[in-house]
């Protein structure tokens, strides 16, 4: 340790002067002095010195920091500070000791806080689930015993026969070829393209990227699937290849001619790149969160257009909606949930790694606080996205049972026992009281689609591991050729042609002094969780293994270490230092570059040398490289944490080890490379069983699960067809009687008061709502200026007023100033207006009347935080006075948002929850507001905002009880609305695009400096946003400050579509609207 001689002197003093190491050990072990701990410590230190490999850094990390509490460290500092006389050394020694002490204290503080938090969370979960269990306990003793079906298992009805031969796959293909399915996959981070993927370039471009591309390719080749779109990010940055900026890329299909797959004009599999985020910058996944809304809007436009095109080709003129939207990883899952809600299409989710599990692992290390972890990884935003996926998904695809029980079990929205109870109730036809749980699927290994009689060299490899893929990942084995190996002598030539060796072989062999030794092969990027340093230590400290084998580390591609990410650079630097420490030159290969197409050659080289493949990651959610290696005849040594356990159960081709135990790793490797018969048996087992992981079988399993989902899609007459309907045939005429009934539903202040006096205003109003809904069948037509269809579809621009942060008087004035600023366009009808608020429609009506504003000045009203969408009726016969217009409820919108709505069961739970909060505080903190509630909104008045719980606490309570809902506070905290989980004001704007063709890019949303809980959704997206700044904005209530993540984590205030103006004067508003091209100069 050059330049740090004082540290070496200090350590030598500990070990040599008076048995200081023993004193320290005694301090750790107590007063006993001669206990086992001291003897072990002395022996360990002596052995380190005798071996000549004493590491000061290792000593401090493993012995001082890990082995002492803060009091012992302080005593150590007192003793050691007197060891040296030079003042400078003592000063430095004291400073070092204090730093160690503070580090240990910080670690213990973090551990204590985390233990306290987990204990509190555990109590909350137990209490909430007791309530849910009480609701579900009646008349279900038979279904809740240990014999009820496992949540992992699929029902017999959902299963499809296995495919075990070429004849069987042809029969299955013939049976399903007439289906025309449209599937949407989403994976938005990393660099994605169909060929020559830059796998290993960074942590975002790994196994997930390869998997989703191959999944899209394989599904596109499967009978019954007409088109597959893999949606990702379009990147036109100077530091990445131009191909990532191409809007569309068609993927070559896998043996489609052998599956009877008929191709159409737009059929096949495609990578579709949606532009969002900075156009000229490639950014890491942690920084994509502020741009998710923009991606959702762009993806929605693509899916709408493609559904229409496919409908014209194969859907008899009706849109061909996606049968499923499948999100991969948390960011894509969040996007898939919003798209699923907007389109009313089933959602499937694959996590590929989970945020809560990662958070727990990092916290256990004790080096970072929760806030520090969140600052680096935006982990809380990721966790909330994963919770939303639990709320919205119909199927969660996992890789192992361990993932379900230990990883998903960390989430508020999933409980294995609750899931079993709900499934048992559903099977018996018993009410679940509004509770829902996604179905977790771990599929059994699948049979091959054809016998593996022969293999070929050209294999489309899957480079890195797949994380958390539940249905066994598919592979195309028909092109793999395992190397011929002479078990009694040297390796043979597989083709006998004397063809030249692949170039990558020379790149690897140049590292070895004896290239004929068996090769231990590891393929993993230099990431701490891949545990590469432990592998190098295990190899370096086992002399027999070093003498018998070589080690090859394929750690992605690199040019200059300093240009790598800090984490990857640190791991790679550690590896290089360990190679130097153990003097492994000539025994370890670590090439800087390799091509994707060369990965199969690397496997073949390892197999040719009778080598072993190793994956010793701390946790490996699946481990696809293990399957790849087995296909080339390589035995494996793998971690026993995660997916490799299931892979080993199927393949039986190696040894599982504890990744934390380097001796166990070394012994397993030595056993395989030294025992030829064991190596041969593992090789043969792998080759014999590998057929159980094939793409056709994988896709068949995938589609069998998707086929069990209840079909959902938008159900209404498309507005595009409205022009072709004559006035005589207009649905408006058929709604005349409904309009007469709707007079009884007009929402004036007088009628509200008269109903409320009867003591059942909410019930009466709901009955009237239901009557109108049944008769009208939804809003299908409304009068416009020159026709029977809503004026929304004829507007060139839409201005959405969504200012939450002002008093009522200012709010009314904002509306009037907006009207004044856009008077010319308003008069011509080119600009329309939408009012978006948390208020109920009755409150909106009263506000408009008080301000002298007519309801007909607006084209639509998004009310109750996005749970209701209403339109003003402009029929003269229905008008009592200019200020008393009946409103028409869009029932089609309700059909879009009702997914997983808990209804009365949710309402009863919320009332019970409110009563508990009121009892705890000794006052009425939260009171149900029946007058402002509606069919899809349960509203509460908050009388004491200081005592009101934050949104994240209410969401957690509801999720623990398997109730899926969206909880929102108004800006001032006086109103609490609980609405369907996929409903919001931003989702309502997307509905206007889907239903009436109002382009999202032509919308401008006007907001204040802050807003309701869903404020962030109004700032993102492709629409324009104008923020009104000034002292008239009230400060948000503290309930908004208790969010799980900061607003900056989810909103990009630097995007071009956001502008700010001071005040809300007409001139300022006009200038801002002109800036976005809404108004003419």
């Amino acid at each position: 340790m050059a330049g740090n001689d004082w540290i070496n002197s200090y350590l030598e003093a500990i070990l040599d002067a008076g048995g200081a190491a023993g004193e320290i050990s005694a301090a750790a072990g107590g007063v006993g002095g001669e206990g086992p701990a001291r003897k072990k410590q002395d022996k360990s230190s002596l052995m380190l010195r005798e071996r000549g490999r004493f590491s000061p850094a290792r000593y401090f990390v493993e012995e001082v920091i890990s082995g002492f509490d803060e009091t012992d460290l302080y005593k150590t500092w007192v003793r050691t500070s007197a060891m040296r006389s030079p003042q400078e050394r003592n000063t430095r020694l004291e400073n070092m000791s204090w730093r160690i002490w503070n580090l240990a204290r910080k670690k213990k503080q973090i551990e204590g806080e985390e233990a306290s938090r987990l204990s509190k969370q555990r109590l909350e979960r137990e209490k909430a689930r007791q309530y849910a269990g009480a609701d579900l306990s009646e008349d279900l003793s038979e279904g809740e015993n240990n014999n009820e079906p496992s949540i992992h298992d699929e029902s017999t009805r959902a299963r499809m026969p296995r495919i075990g031969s070429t004849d069987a796959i042809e029969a299955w293909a013939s049976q399903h070829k007439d289906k025309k399915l449209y599937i949407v996959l989403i994976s938005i981070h990393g660099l994605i393209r169909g060929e020559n993927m830059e796998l290993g370039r960074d942590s975002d471009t790994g196994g997930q990227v390869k998997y989703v591309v191959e999944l899209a390719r394989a599904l596109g080749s499967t009978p019954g699937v007409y088109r597959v779109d893999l949606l990702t990010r379009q990147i036109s940055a100077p530091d990445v290849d131009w191909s990532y900026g191409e809007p569309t890329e068609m993927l070559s299909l896998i043996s489609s001619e052998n599956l009877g797959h008929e191709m159409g004009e737009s059929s096949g599999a495609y990578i579709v790149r949606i532009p969002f985020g900075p156009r000229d910058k490639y950014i890491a996944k942690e920084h994509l969160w502020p741009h998710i809304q923009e991606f959702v809007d762009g993806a929605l436009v693509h899916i709408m257009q493609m559904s229409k095109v496919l409908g014209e080709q194969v859907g008899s003129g009706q849109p061909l909606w996606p049968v499923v939207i499948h999100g991969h990883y948390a960011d894509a899952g969040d996007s898939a949930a919003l798209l699923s809600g907007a389109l009313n299409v089933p959602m499937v989710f694959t996590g590929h790694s989970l945020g809560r599990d990662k958070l727990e692992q990092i916290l256990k290390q004790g080096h970072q606080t929760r806030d520090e972890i969140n600052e680096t990884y935006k982990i809380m935003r990721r966790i909330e996205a994963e919770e939303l996926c639990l709320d919205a998904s119909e199927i969660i695809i996992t890789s192992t049972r361990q993932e379900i029980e230990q990883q998903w079990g960390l989430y508020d929205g999933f409980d294995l026992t609750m899931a079993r109870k709900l499934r048992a109730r559903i099977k018996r036809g018993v009410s679940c009281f509004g509770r829902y749980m996604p179905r977790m699927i771990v599929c059994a290994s699948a049979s091959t689609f054809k016998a593996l009689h022969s293999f070929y060299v050209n294999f489309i490899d899957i480079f890195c591991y797949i994380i958390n893929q539940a249905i066994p990942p598919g592979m195309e084995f028909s092109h793999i050729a395992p190397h011929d190996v002479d078990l009694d002598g040297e390796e043979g030539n597989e083709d006998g042609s004397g063809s030249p060796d692949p170039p990558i072989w020379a790149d690897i062999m140049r590292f070895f002094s004896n290239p004929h030794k068996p090769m231990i092969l590891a393929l993993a990027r230099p990431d701490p969780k891949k545990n590469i340093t432990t592998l190098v230590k295990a190899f370096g400290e086992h002399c027999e293994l070093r003498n018998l084998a070589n080690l090859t580390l394929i750690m992605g591609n690199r040019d200059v270490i300093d240009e790598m990410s800090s984490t990857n650079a640190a791991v790679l630097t550690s590896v290089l230092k360990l190679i130097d420490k153990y003097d492994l030159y000539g025994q370890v290969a670590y090439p800087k570059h390799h091509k994707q197409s060369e990965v199969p050659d690397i496997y073949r080289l390892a197999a040719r040398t009778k080598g072993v493949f190793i994956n010793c990651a701390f946790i490996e959610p699946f481990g696809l490289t293990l399957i790849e290696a087995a296909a080339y005849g390589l035995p494996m040594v793998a971690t026993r944490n995660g997916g490799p356990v299931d892979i080993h159960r199927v393949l039986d081709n190696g040894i599982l080890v504890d990744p934390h135990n380097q001796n166990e790793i070394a012994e397993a490797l030595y056993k395989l490379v030294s025992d030829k018969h064991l190596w041969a048996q593992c090789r043969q087992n792998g080759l014999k069983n590998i057929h159980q992981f094939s793409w056709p079988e994988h896709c068949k399993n995938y589609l069998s699960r998707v086929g069990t989902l209840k079909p959902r899609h938008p159900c209404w007459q498309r507005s595009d067809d409205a022009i072709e309907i004559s006035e005589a045939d207009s649905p408006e005429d058929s709604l005349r009687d409904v309009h007469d009934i709707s007079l009884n539903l007009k929402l004036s202040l007088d009628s509200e008061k008269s109903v409320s006096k009867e003591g059942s205003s909410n019930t009466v109003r709901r009955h009237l709502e239901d009557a109108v809904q049944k008769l009208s069948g939804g809003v299908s037509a409304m009068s416009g200026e020159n026709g029977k269809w809503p004026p929304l579809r004829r507007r060139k621009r839409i201005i959405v007023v969504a200012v939450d942060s002002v008093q009522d008087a200012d709010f009314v004035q904002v509306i009037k100033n907006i009207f004044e600023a856009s008077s010319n366009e308003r008069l011509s009808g080119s600009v329309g207006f939408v009012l978006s608020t948390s208020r109920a429609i009755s409150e909106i009506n009263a506000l408009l009347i008080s301000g002298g504003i007519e309801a007909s000045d607006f084209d639509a009203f998004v009310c109750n935080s996005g749970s209701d969408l209403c339109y003003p009726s402009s029929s003269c016969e229905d008008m009592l006075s200019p200020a008393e217009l009946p409103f028409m409820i869009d029932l089609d919108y309700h059909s879009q948002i009702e997914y997983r709505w808990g209804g009365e069961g949710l309402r009863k739970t919320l009332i019970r929850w409110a009563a508990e909060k009121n009892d705890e505080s000794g006052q009425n903190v939260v009171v149900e507001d029946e007058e402002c509630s509606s069919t899809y909104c349960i509203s509460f008045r908050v009388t004491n905002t200081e005592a009101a719980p934050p949104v994240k606490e209410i969401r957690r309570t509801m999720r623990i009880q398997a109730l899926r809902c969206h909880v929102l506070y108004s800006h001032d905290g006086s109103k609490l609305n609980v609405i369907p989980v996929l409903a919001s004001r931003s989702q309502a704007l997307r509905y206007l695009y889907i239903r009436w063709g109002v382009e999202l890019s032509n919308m401008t949303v006007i907001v204040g400096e802050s807003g309701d809980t869903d404020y962030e959704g109004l700032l993102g997206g492709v629409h324009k946003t104008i923020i009104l700044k000034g002292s008239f904005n009230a400060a948000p209530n503290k309930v908004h400050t208790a969010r799980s993540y900061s607003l900056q984590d989810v909103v990009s205030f630097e995007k071009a579509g956001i502008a700010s103006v001071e005040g809300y004067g007409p001139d300022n508003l006009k200038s801002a609207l002109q800036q976005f091209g809404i108004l003419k100069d």
Side-chain angles (χ1 to χ4, degrees):
M1 298 176 62
N4 291 315
D5 292 339
W6 59 275
I7 295 181
N8 287 329
S9 299
Y10 165 57
L11 293 171
E12 290 171 4
I14 291 179
L15 294 173
D16 299 327
E23 296 174 9
I24 297 175
S25 180
V31 183
E34 292 294 332
R38 174 172 180 171
K39 292 180 180 179
K40 182 178 179 181
Q41 176 72 26
D42 288 341
K43 182 179 179 181
S44 174
S45 300
L46 182 61
M47 289 175 63
L48 283 170
R49 274 189 301 161
E50 288 177 348
R51 287 191 233 167
R53 289 198 297 267
F54 177 74
S55 167
R58 179 176 177 180
Y59 179 86
F60 274 100
V61 171
E62 295 182 0
E63 306 298 332
V64 180
I65 296 177
S66 302
F68 296 86
D69 62 25
E70 56 200 45
T71 304
D72 291 326
L73 282 170
Y74 177 74
K75 291 178 180 178
T76 302
W77 167 72
V78 172
R79 289 196 303 268
T80 56
S81 63
M83 285 184 176
R84 299 295 180 185
S85 56
Q87 185 175 1
E88 182 178 356
R89 287 187 175 183
N90 280 341
T91 302
R92 291 182 178 180
L93 175 60
E94 292 171 10
N95 290 340
M96 180 189 67
S97 299
W98 274 112
R99 283 197 295 271
I100 296 173
W101 180 34
N102 288 332
L103 177 61
R105 183 170 59 178
K106 179 181 178 181
K107 179 179 179 181
K108 287 186 176 294
Q109 181 181 357
I110 294 173
E111 290 174 348
E113 292 174 353
E114 189 62 18
S116 176
R117 186 192 65 81
L118 291 175
S119 176
K120 181 180 178 181
Q121 187 180 74
R122 194 178 303 112
L123 291 175
E124 290 177 353
R125 286 191 178 187
E126 289 176 359
K127 182 178 180 181
R129 283 170 180 156
Q130 283 176 1
Y131 284 132
D135 290 341
L136 299 174
S137 62
E138 56 187 44
D139 192 29
L140 198 61
S141 58
E142 182 180 317
E144 292 180 2
N145 57 31
N146 292 329
N147 298 323
E148 88 271 3
S150 169
I151 193 64
H152 309 308
D153 300 330
E154 57 178 313
S155 65
T156 304
R157 173 177 53 85
R159 289 182 180 173
M160 298 181 66
R162 286 182 177 272
I163 300 174
S165 69
T166 303
D167 292 338
I169 185 114
E170 289 177 353
W172 186 84
S174 176
Q175 178 183 355
H176 293 83
K177 67 180 180 180
D178 293 333
K179 293 184 178 180
K180 304 293 183 183
L181 302 180
Y182 175 31
I183 296 175
V184 174
L185 309 177
I186 304 176
S187 181
I188 64 176
H189 66 255
L191 298 170
I192 298 181
R193 62 184 179 189
E195 305 295 338
N196 299 319
M197 283 172 264
E198 300 182 71
L199 302 173
R201 168 180 170 140
D202 53 60
S203 59
D204 292 350
T205 309
Q208 177 185 331
V209 168
K210 182 63 177 177
Y211 171 73
V212 294
V213 171
E214 295 303 327
L215 174 62
R217 195 193 308 273
L219 284 172
S221 305
T222 304
V225 177
Y226 189 75
R227 182 180 173 103
V228 179
D229 280 340
L230 170 56
L231 307 185
T232 188
R233 181 174 176 236
Q234 184 183 39
I235 306 169
S236 301
D239 56 337
V240 301
D241 191 75
W242 62 270
S243 59
Y244 300 111
E246 290 295 298
T248 305
E249 177 183 349
M250 187 174 184
L251 297 174
S252 58
L253 300 184
I254 301 175
S255 304
S256 59
E257 68 276 7
N258 297 329
L259 301 178
H261 192 60
E262 297 182 5
M263 303 298 291
E265 183 180 348
S266 299
S267 64
Y270 297 82
I271 297 174
V272 179
R273 299 183 178 91
I274 308 295
F276 71 99
R279 298 294 186 267
D280 59 347
K281 181 185 282 188
Y282 172 53
I283 56 179
K285 60 180 177 289
E286 289 82 9
H287 303 295
L288 285 177
W289 292 111
H291 311 289
I292 293 293
Q293 299 276 347
E294 187 179 356
F295 169 79
V296 171
D297 290 347
L300 183 61
V301 172
H302 168 78
I303 294 172
M304 289 288 293
Q305 293 174 348
M306 186 51 59
S307 295
K308 184 177 179 180
V309 169
L310 298 180
E312 293 172 353
Q313 293 178 10
V314 296
S316 302
Q318 296 298 318
L320 182 64
W321 301 105
V323 67
V324 69
I325 297 177
H326 188 166
H328 294 265
Y329 195 79
D331 47 14
D334 190 81
S335 307
L338 296 178
L339 286 167
S340 169
L343 291 165
N344 195 26
V345 168
M347 173 188 168
V348 174
F349 177 65
T350 302
H352 291 275
S353 80
L354 299 179
R356 282 199 188 276
D357 183 61
K358 181 172 184 175
L359 176 62
E360 296 293 325
Q361 296 295 329
I362 298 176
L363 285 171
K364 286 178 182 178
Q365 297 175 7
H367 301 311
Q368 292 178 285
T369 65
R370 182 177 291 262
D371 290 340
E372 291 170 342
I373 297 170
N374 187 54
E375 179 67 24
T376 302
Y377 299 105
K378 304 296 183 286
I379 202 78
M380 302 313 298
R381 178 63 182 90
R382 175 180 172 183
I383 290 172
E384 179 57 32
E386 290 161 344
E387 291 281 11
L388 178 61
C389 290
L390 285 169
D391 292 338
S393 297
E394 300 210 26
I395 292 177
I396 302 285
I397 295 181
T398 68
S399 60
T400 63
R401 287 169 174 79
Q402 181 266 352
E403 180 190 342
I404 293 177
E405 296 166 2
Q406 298 181 23
Q407 296 185 40
W408 280 114
L410 298 172
Y411 286 78
D412 300 326
F414 181 75
D415 178 71
L416 189 57
T417 302
M418 178 82 70
R420 288 171 173 166
K421 290 182 178 181
L422 292 175
R423 187 170 180 188
R425 296 181 75 90
I426 291 171
K427 292 190 70 173
R428 295 186 58 190
V430 181
S431 171
C432 293
F433 301 100
R435 291 173 167 83
Y436 300 90
M437 195 70 73
R439 190 173 183 183
M440 296 278 176
I441 288 182
V442 177
C443 294
S445 300
S447 297
T448 184
F449 71 97
K450 66 178 180 178
L452 298 177
H453 296 305
S454 62
F455 296 93
Y456 302 90
V457 175
N458 298 322
F459 168 55
I460 302 176
D461 65 285
I462 301 179
F463 170 64
C464 289
Y465 72 100
I466 279 185
I467 317 175
N468 286 359
Q469 176 56 31
I471 303 172
M475 294 178 66
E476 177 55 65
F477 297 115
S478 61
H479 301 297
I480 303 178
H483 224 78
D484 245 354
V485 178
D486 180 3
L487 298 182
D488 296 321
E490 295 301 319
E491 61 277 1
N493 190 313
E494 72 278 8
D495 54 12
S497 62
S499 59
D501 293 338
I504 189 65
W505 288 14
D507 290 343
I508 293 174
M509 291 300 193
R510 65 187 174 87
F511 285 89
F512 300 135
S513 56
N514 182 0
H516 297 290
K517 292 195 294 185
M519 178 191 295
I520 298 169
L521 174 63
L523 284 87
R525 65 181 184 272
D527 188 288
K529 63 187 177 184
K530 295 302 181 182
N531 202 25
I532 298 175
T533 54
T534 300
L535 171 61
V536 178
K537 291 177 184 178
F539 182 78
E541 295 185 9
H542 197 291
C543 295
E544 293 85 356
L545 181 61
R546 291 174 55 178
N547 293 332
L548 193 60
N550 292 321
L551 176 62
T552 297
L553 304 174
I554 307 298
M555 299 178 289
N557 288 281
R558 65 186 184 277
D559 290 317
V560 181
I561 294 179
D562 292 340
E563 295 176 358
M564 301 173 66
S565 68
S566 58
T567 302
N568 291 352
V571 172
L572 187 55
T573 302
S574 297
V575 168
L576 297 177
K577 288 183 176 180
L578 288 170
I579 292 173
D580 184 74
K581 173 182 177 180
Y582 296 114
D583 195 14
L584 299 178
Y585 300 107
Q587 296 175 294
V588 179
Y590 42 96
K592 296 180 67 172
H593 299 282
H594 69 278
K595 299 176 183 177
Q596 175 196 345
S597 59
E598 292 175 327
V599 174
D601 293 327
I602 298 173
Y603 284 126
R604 291 171 53 221
L605 176 61
R608 183 175 181 177
T609 63
K610 302 181 202 177
V612 177
F613 183 81
I614 181 167
N615 180 334
C616 58
F618 290 119
I619 297 178
E620 185 56 78
F622 189 79
L624 194 60
T625 48
L626 299 173
I627 300 173
E628 293 175 4
Y632 284 93
L634 277 171
M636 73 173 187
V637 171
T639 176
R640 64 167 59 108
N641 296 335
V645 176
D646 292 331
I647 293 175
H648 182 264
R649 186 180 296 116
V650 175
L651 298 181
D652 189 24
N653 69 327
I655 302 173
L656 299 179
V657 295
D658 177 3
H660 298 277
N661 189 330
Q662 71 181 52
N663 291 330
E664 187 176 341
I665 294 172
E667 288 297 329
L669 291 169
Y670 180 72
K671 186 175 183 180
L672 279 173
V673 297
S674 62
D675 188 334
K676 290 184 178 181
H677 294 290
L678 175 63
W679 185 92
Q681 184 62 51
C682 289
R683 168 188 165 85
Q684 288 303 118
N685 289 347
L687 292 174
K688 179 179 66 175
N689 299 318
I690 194 64
H691 66 274
Q692 299 188 54
F693 298 92
S694 70
W695 273 121
E697 180 69 14
H698 174 74
C699 292
K700 186 256 325 184
N701 287 338
Y702 182 92
L703 293 176
S704 71
R705 272 71 178 185
V706 170
T708 64
L709 302 178
K710 180 181 178 181
R712 292 190 288 120
H713 55 79
C715 298
W716 58 72
Q717 185 176 5
R718 286 288 298 157
S719 59
D720 295 4
D721 303 328
I723 302 174
E724 301 174 5
I725 300 179
S726 66
E727 185 171 330
D729 295 331
S730 170
E732 179 72 3
D733 297 331
S734 67
L735 292 177
R736 184 62 54 206
D737 293 336
V738 177
H739 285 174
D740 293 337
I741 293 176
S742 69
L743 286 171
N744 296 322
L745 195 61
K746 65 182 178 59
L747 302 172
S748 65
L749 292 174
D750 293 336
S751 62
E752 281 291 314
K753 292 179 180 178
S754 64
V755 175
S756 64
K757 289 180 180 178
E758 297 177 8
S760 59
S761 62
N762 192 46
T763 303
V764 172
R765 182 169 59 258
R766 287 180 181 173
H767 288 167
L768 288 172
E769 256 185 48
D770 293 340
V772 174
Q773 291 173 5
K774 290 177 181 178
L775 288 171
S776 67
V779 176
S780 298
M782 274 169 284
S783 353
E785 295 177 18
N786 300 311
K788 300 295 184 179
W789 298 91
L792 273 171
R793 59 187 319 279
R794 291 194 301 276
R795 307 297 193 194
K796 294 180 179 179
R797 308 283 184 178
I798 295 293
I799 297 176
V800 181
V801 184
V803 183
D804 307 321
S805 57
V806 298
Q807 300 297 324
D808 287 352
D810 287 321
F811 185 61
V812 169
Q813 193 59 49
V814 167
I815 295 173
K816 291 181 176 180
N817 289 352
I818 292 172
F819 287 165
E820 181 180 344
S822 56
S823 57
N824 293 336
E825 287 75 8
R826 180 182 173 213
L827 186 61
S828 67
S830 62
V831 174
F833 301 89
V834 174
L835 187 60
S836 180
T837 177
S838 63
R839 296 174 173 88
I841 191 66
S842 57
E843 296 175 303
I844 293 174
N845 187 65
L847 184 65
L848 295 180
I849 292 174
S850 67
I853 301 173
E854 296 185 4
S856 58
D857 288 333
F858 289 93
D859 295 326
F861 298 90
V862 179
C863 41
N864 282 332
S865 298
S867 64
D868 288 313
L869 182 60
C870 300
Y871 311 95
S873 175
S874 54
S875 298
C876 296
E877 296 89 340
D878 299 333
M879 193 181 300
L880 294 181
S881 73
E884 288 184 324
L885 294 175
F887 295 86
M888 297 187 66
I889 301 173
D890 192 334
L891 306 183
D892 287 333
Y893 179 66
H894 281 172
S895 71
Q896 292 284 100
I897 66 171
E898 67 181 355
Y899 175 68
R900 288 194 170 171
W901 177 239
E904 192 62 23
L906 173 61
R907 177 178 171 273
K908 289 180 179 179
T909 302
L910 286 168
I911 291 175
R912 180 174 59 200
W913 165 82
E916 289 180 355
K917 291 299 176 183
N918 294 339
D919 291 342
E920 290 175 4
S921 61
Q923 56 180 313
N924 288 334
V925 177
V926 184
V927 181
E928 185 184 13
D929 188 353
E930 293 188 359
E931 292 185 1
C932 292
S933 297
S934 64
T935 307
Y936 293 95
C937 177
I938 304 170
S939 188
F940 292 85
R941 295 191 310 273
V942 181
T943 58
N944 184 351
T945 58
E946 295 294 324
V951 162
K952 63 180 181 181
E953 179 182 322
I954 307 173
R955 286 177 181 168
R956 181 168 63 245
T957 301
M958 296 301 108
R959 281 169 171 160
I960 290 172
Q961 300 189 56
L963 292 165
R964 314 297 175 176
C965 56
H966 191 183
V967 182
L968 306 104
Y969 275 110
S970 63
H971 177 266
D972 60 3
S974 63
K975 178 189 285 287
L976 173 65
N977 285 341
V978 181
I979 63 177
V981 65
L982 294 177
S984 69
R985 290 187 290 171
S986 58
Q987 287 288 83
L989 299 184
R990 294 187 177 107
Y991 172 83
L992 293 179
Y993 163 66
I994 298 170
R995 181 70 171 92
W996 304 116
V998 181
E999 294 290 342
L1000 293 167
S1001 58
N1002 291 337
M1003 293 184 184
T1004 299
V1005 181
I1006 301 178
V1007 300
E1009 287 188 271
S1010 54
D1012 297 350
T1013 303
D1014 61 350
Y1015 178 69
E1016 63 196 49
L1018 299 172
L1019 297 176
V1022 299
H1023 64 256
K1024 312 300 188 297
T1025 304
I1026 297 176
I1027 302 175
L1028 306 182
K1029 293 189 173 183
S1031 59
F1032 56 89
N1033 285 283
N1037 190 271
K1038 72 169 190 176
V1039 294
H1040 294 291
T1041 63
R1043 63 168 68 229
S1044 300
Y1045 46 85
S1046 68
L1047 190 62
Q1048 286 69 28
D1049 287 349
V1050 291
V1051 175
S1052 175
F1053 289 97
E1054 299 176 355
K1055 76 168 191 172
I1058 294 182
S1060 300
V1061 298
E1062 289 294 332
Y1064 54 81
D1067 293 338
N1068 293 342
L1069 290 169
K1070 186 173 183 178
S1071 176
L1073 291 169
Q1074 287 174 342
Q1075 176 183 339
F1076 289 137
I1078 308 300
L1079 306 180
K1080 296 180 181 179
D1081 294 337

